[in-house]
Amino acid sequence: MKESKPMIPHTVVPEANISNATKVVIALGGNALMEAGTPPTAEEQLRVVKKTCENLANISCSGFEMAIVHGNGPQVGRLVLQQEIAAAAQPDQLPAIPFDCCGAMTEGYIGYQIQQSLRDALRNKNRNVPVVTIVTQVIVDDGDPAFQNPTKPIGRFYTAKEAKKLAKEKGWTMKEDSGRGWRRVVPSPKPKRIVELDSVKRLWDSTIVVTAGGGGIPVVENMDGSLTGVAAVIDKDLAAERLAEDMETDILLILTEVENVYINFGKPDQKALEHITVSEAIKYMEEGQFGSGSMEPKVMAAIKFARRFPGKKAIITSLAKAIDALEGRAGTVITMA
């Protein structure tokens, strides 16, 4: 008879009573969902999400009360592409669903993977904290200048002839993308208000909430108070900052691929920034130190949070260094002074 191995006891963490804990909103970067060079499948994404949730569970077990915001750019782009291909093949049987619904679908399935994986990771550490996903609507201003200048590329590449036809038939804005072809672009308006904020507040003290996924589903508020979805993408770091402001959290933690924000990034004299003020961050941004599509939105969100709460801080770091950064040993900290 084969001898059974003894059970290895987990560190027992008491049932959650986290209302007095340090409050943090965590914005997950794309590397927390997918790894470069791997197949873009739901199964591969789940594998990466499970690894991510081990880190998130460790943050919870370290005594932090948190909500989680994630991106969805590649996922919504692939879903839109699936819709286009299916509708082209069988327009009567498989009509394409609207862009805002694609955003809602990706927010739902990414949230599902996070809440399932994080629940398992917490359970394995004997941490009794519920995890829920809220499919979140975020109000944007239909007068936002972004609607006059769409910049966010989504979906597949087209020839110039195809792009012209789609612009005429569907009213899409099409732009040439770095010599690779033409793509549909959508606006990226600023988040004004989180519709489900009251529900997040009710859950906050007892539950880890996954919310505003992909920046939230952009909606405009009509004169009668009803909401209408729009074809747009909200930056997830700015949505996380909006949530952190509304919840008056202690920290806004923005996780990405690198441990620090850098100046002169990729050059021989590159320098990791450890603690900078809002004025220093603005100066570096005006110098063009941060890529407009990569680090700049993260720094902008950090600046906005630090300005709103002069005694609090925003942190930008990697997922692997999250706890070290929260405890002051890693990352780039941005404060008002």
Side-chain angles (χ1 to χ4, degrees), residues 9 15 59 100 111 135 147 169 177 182 204 229 236 239 280 310 327:
E15 184 169 342
I59 294 173
D100 58 315
V135 176
F147 286 103
E169 291 180 353
D177 190 338
W182 290 72
W204 188 278
K236 68 102 175 39
E280 289 171 329
E327 295 177 352

Side-chain angles (χ1 to χ4, degrees), residues 217-279:
I217 306 159
V219 296
V220 295
E221 189 169 22
N222 303 311
M223 293 293 290
D224 62 358
S226 62
L227 303 175
T228 302
V230 293
V233 173
I234 299 171
D235 183 88
K236 68 102 175 39
D237 296 311
L238 294 179
E241 192 284 328
R242 178 72 270 163
L243 178 65
E245 270 199 46
D246 292 338
M247 297 305 303
E248 300 185 2
T249 59
D250 301 294
I251 298 171
L252 170 63
L253 178 64
I254 300 175
L255 300 179
T256 184
E257 293 183 287
V258 292
E259 182 177 339
N260 290 85
V261 179
Y262 291 83
I263 55 173
N264 302 323
F265 184 70
K267 300 177 181 178
D269 60 343
Q270 78 172 22
K271 178 184 176 183
L273 302 175
E274 295 180 355
H275 183 196
I276 56 174
T277 64
V278 164
S279 59

Side-chain angles (χ1 to χ4, degrees), residues 23 65 134 196-206 209 243 245-248:
K23 297 181 178 181
E65 177 185 353
I134 296 178
E196 288 76 21
L197 182 65
D198 186 59
S199 296
V200 177
K201 288 181 176 180
R202 290 171 184 269
L203 291 165
W204 188 278
D205 288 341
S206 62
V209 181
L243 178 65
E245 270 199 46
D246 292 338
M247 297 305 303
E248 300 185 2

Side-chain angles (χ1 to χ4, degrees), residues 1-278:
M1 181 176 178
K2 191 174 180 179
E3 185 178 352
S4 61
K5 293 181 180 180
M7 294 280 292
I8 299 174
H10 296 296
T11 301
V12 177
V13 182
E15 184 169 342
N17 182 10
I18 53 180
S19 58
N20 295 320
T22 299
K23 297 181 178 181
V24 55
V25 165
I26 301 174
L28 294 177
N31 64 308
L33 303 179
M34 294 294 293
E35 290 179 355
T38 60
T41 63
E43 293 79 9
E44 181 62 24
Q45 179 174 292
L46 180 59
R47 182 188 67 80
V48 177
V49 167
K50 286 181 176 180
K51 290 169 58 178
T52 294
C53 287
E54 289 295 328
N55 286 282
L56 295 176
N58 288 335
I59 294 173
S60 178
C61 290
S62 296
F64 293 93
E65 177 185 353
M66 63 193 190
I68 299 164
V69 176
H70 61 80
N72 74 339
Q75 292 83 0
V76 77
R78 287 193 293 271
L79 183 56
V80 168
L81 178 57
Q82 289 173 1
Q83 297 296 309
E84 293 174 15
I85 293 172
Q90 298 188 47
D92 295 331
Q93 299 296 320
L94 298 170
I97 64 173
F99 185 83
D100 58 315
C101 294
C102 289
M105 291 169 70
T106 56
E107 186 178 2
Y109 95 79
I110 295 170
Y112 154 65
Q113 288 189 335
I114 292 173
Q115 75 177 46
Q116 182 186 80
S117 301
L118 184 52
R119 175 187 176 275
D120 288 346
L122 290 165
R123 183 172 53 83
N124 290 336
K125 298 176 186 296
N126 291 331
R127 177 74 163 162
N128 186 18
V129 183
V131 186
V132 300
T133 296
I134 296 178
V135 176
T136 313
Q137 302 170 95
V138 176
I139 292 176
V140 298
D141 187 348
D142 58 4
D144 191 302
F147 286 103
Q148 303 304 316
N149 182 32
T151 58
K152 198 78 170 179
I154 58 155
R156 58 176 287 195
F157 290 93
Y158 297 92
T159 66
K161 183 178 179 180
E162 290 172 329
K164 185 176 180 180
K165 182 180 179 183
L166 287 168
K168 182 178 180 180
E169 291 180 353
K170 299 190 176 185
W172 290 357
T173 300
M174 309 295 289
K175 288 188 178 179
E176 201 279 329
D177 190 338
S178 305
R180 296 178 294 177
W182 290 72
R183 297 179 77 185
R184 180 187 181 189
V185 290
V186 297
S188 185
K190 300 289 190 299
K192 287 182 60 181
R193 179 163 60 86
I194 297 170
V195 176
E196 288 76 21
L197 182 65
D198 186 59
S199 296
V200 177
K201 288 181 176 180
R202 290 171 184 269
L203 291 165
W204 188 278
D205 288 341
S206 62
T207 305
I208 296 173
V209 181
V210 183
T211 185
I217 306 159
V219 296
V220 295
E221 189 169 22
N222 303 311
M223 293 293 290
D224 62 358
S226 62
L227 303 175
T228 302
V230 293
V233 173
I234 299 171
D235 183 88
K236 68 102 175 39
D237 296 311
L238 294 179
E241 192 284 328
R242 178 72 270 163
L243 178 65
E245 270 199 46
D246 292 338
M247 297 305 303
E248 300 185 2
T249 59
D250 301 294
I251 298 171
L252 170 63
L253 178 64
I254 300 175
L255 300 179
T256 184
E257 293 183 287
V258 292
E259 182 177 339
N260 290 85
V261 179
Y262 291 83
I263 55 173
N264 302 323
F265 184 70
K267 300 177 181 178
D269 60 343
Q270 78 172 22
K271 178 184 176 183
L273 302 175
E274 295 180 355
H275 183 196
I276 56 174
T277 64
V278 164

Side-chain angles (χ1 to χ4, degrees), residues 285-298:
M285 196 158 57
E286 290 174 345
E287 292 173 358
Q289 290 284 357
F290 313 127
S292 60
S294 55
M295 190 57 73
E296 187 173 275
K298 297 169 176 53

